[in-house]
Amino acid sequence: MIERMKADFSIVFLCARLKVSVSGFHAWRKRPVSARAERRWQLSTKVLNVFVDSSRAAGHRKIAATLAADFGVHANRKTVLAIMRDLGIMPPAARAAFRRAAARARTTPDPGDLLERRFQDTVEPGTVLVGDITYVSTGQGWLYVATAIDLATRTVLGWASSKRQTAALVITALSRAIATGHVRPGAIFHSDHGTQYRSRRFMMFCARAGIRRSMGKNFECWDNAVAESFFSKLKNERLRWHRFTSRHAATREVADYIRYFNDRRRHQALGYATPAEAMAHLTRTTAAKAA
């Protein structure tokens, strides 16, 4: 990044902005560039260009959507956000949101990470759920989809969709998961640090429902890899082939895929069983152990 932008800015300024030493930059220039670093630089360049083209107003979600629509680059929105933070190019609304989030964190600390990426250690259904939010482009605007997925069986126990991503959206997804009867008292719900999951409404809902909240590190998508993986499958296996004229049409397609995902899609992580088969088997096994 510094190498490509040094024609427009001084090396000292760029190093200070990216929080690297000048001597470290010169040492880096002498080393061969890895393929991963080159891909990161190419993505950073596209992110910067889209941000500038938007008159410095686009946030990470709109930039990720623009990259996919205009360049065919399907970048994780959290990766885009991390790049924007590294470059110091946050839109005014995002800066205000981060200030509000920081102020809230000083009074109400976020919960710790109760999973620490030990996704394979959970073998009892209903003890750990993971959740996240994604968005789907439609002719009426964005459709936001939230999920609550059982970690042991990969079953999508609850989900919800809305034209707005609010605390109510994630509360609805989790409440529908609880309504299935598969969520045990004291279960863990793991998510990222999205404002919906950090809201007081969601915190109070979890407290009333006896759900323990868990969050990974900021901007570490691998800390919530199972939830991210489901959305990747949803988009790559189904949604990418459609152009939705309405949010209602997109919601129907999401619902149809979730039924397929739960009942018919076989998973390597489950020994090529479906989530429904894994849920039935592990529920019987757990009941037999308790007897």
Side-chain angles (χ1 to χ4, degrees):
M1 177 61 68
I2 296 175
E3 181 68 24
R4 307 300 175 94
M5 298 179 67
K6 67 179 183 180
D8 300 315
F9 302 94
S10 71
I11 291 177
V12 173
F13 172 81
L14 292 171
C15 287
R17 170 62 73 178
L18 298 177
K19 298 181 180 180
V20 298
S21 66
V22 176
S23 60
F25 165 68
H26 288 298
W28 168 83
R29 292 181 66 191
K30 298 177 181 179
R31 297 196 298 268
V33 179
S34 67
R36 180 179 181 182
E38 180 65 21
R39 289 193 300 270
R40 180 78 170 194
W41 175 84
Q42 292 176 356
L43 180 58
S44 298
T45 301
K46 288 184 173 65
V47 168
L48 182 59
N49 289 338
V50 172
F51 180 74
V52 172
D53 288 344
S54 73
S55 299
R56 301 177 179 271
H60 65 288
R61 292 181 176 85
K62 289 185 179 179
I63 289 179
T66 302
L67 290 174
D70 295 352
F71 301 98
V73 177
H74 298 277
N76 185 286
R77 57 188 167 87
K78 295 175 185 176
T79 301
V80 173
L81 178 58
I83 288 174
M84 293 179 70
R85 286 176 62 86
D86 289 343
L87 296 176
I89 54 169
M90 303 299 289
R95 289 195 293 270
F98 273 105
R99 286 195 295 270
R100 290 193 298 270
R104 182 173 59 249
R106 287 193 292 269
T107 58
T108 307
D110 288 343
D113 187 351
L114 302 180
L115 293 188
E116 298 181 343
R117 302 188 187 180
R118 297 192 302 269
F119 303 123
Q120 302 301 325
D121 292 354
T122 303
V123 296
E124 294 187 10
T127 58
V128 180
L129 280 72
V130 296
D132 201 357
I133 303 173
T134 194
Y135 50 90
V136 182
S137 177
T138 79
Q140 295 179 323
W142 295 115
L143 174 74
Y144 296 97
V145 179
T147 55
I149 301 172
D150 178 61
L151 184 57
T153 66
R154 301 302 197 265
T155 306
V156 182
L157 290 179
W159 68 281
S161 63
S162 174
K163 65 179 180 181
R164 299 174 58 203
Q165 49 175 340
T166 61
L169 176 67
V170 297
I171 289 173
T172 300
L174 182 53
S175 64
R176 288 175 177 173
I178 295 172
T180 65
H182 290 297
V183 180
R184 299 189 183 186
I188 294 171
F189 182 83
H190 184 81
S191 70
D192 61 15
H193 287 255
T195 55
Q196 297 80 15
Y197 296 112
R198 301 177 69 195
S199 68
R200 183 172 181 81
R201 284 188 64 189
F202 186 72
M203 179 180 66
M204 295 300 293
F205 173 82
C206 289
R208 290 193 299 269
I211 301 293
R212 293 181 290 160
R213 297 159 64 229
S214 169
M215 290 183 175
K217 298 181 181 65
N218 265 314
F219 311 115
E220 288 287 346
C221 63
W222 293 111
D223 286 354
N224 202 21
V226 173
E228 294 279 356
S229 176
F230 169 75
F231 286 142
S232 176
K233 292 179 176 66
L234 168 65
K235 293 183 177 181
N236 290 329
E237 296 179 3
R238 182 67 62 88
L239 300 186
R240 66 181 298 184
W241 311 111
H242 295 269
R243 293 294 181 268
F244 300 108
T245 58
S246 67
R247 293 189 180 95
H248 179 67
T251 299
R252 285 189 303 176
E253 199 64 42
V254 170
D256 185 71
Y257 180 80
I258 290 176
R259 284 192 293 269
Y260 160 76
F261 184 89
N262 284 343
D263 298 336
R264 296 171 53 197
R265 192 185 189 283
R266 300 190 177 276
H267 296 256
Q268 183 178 3
L270 301 176
Y272 294 101
T274 67
E277 291 170 346
M279 177 66 77
H281 171 72
L282 291 178
T283 299
R284 289 195 301 268
T285 301
T286 302
K289 291 179 179 179

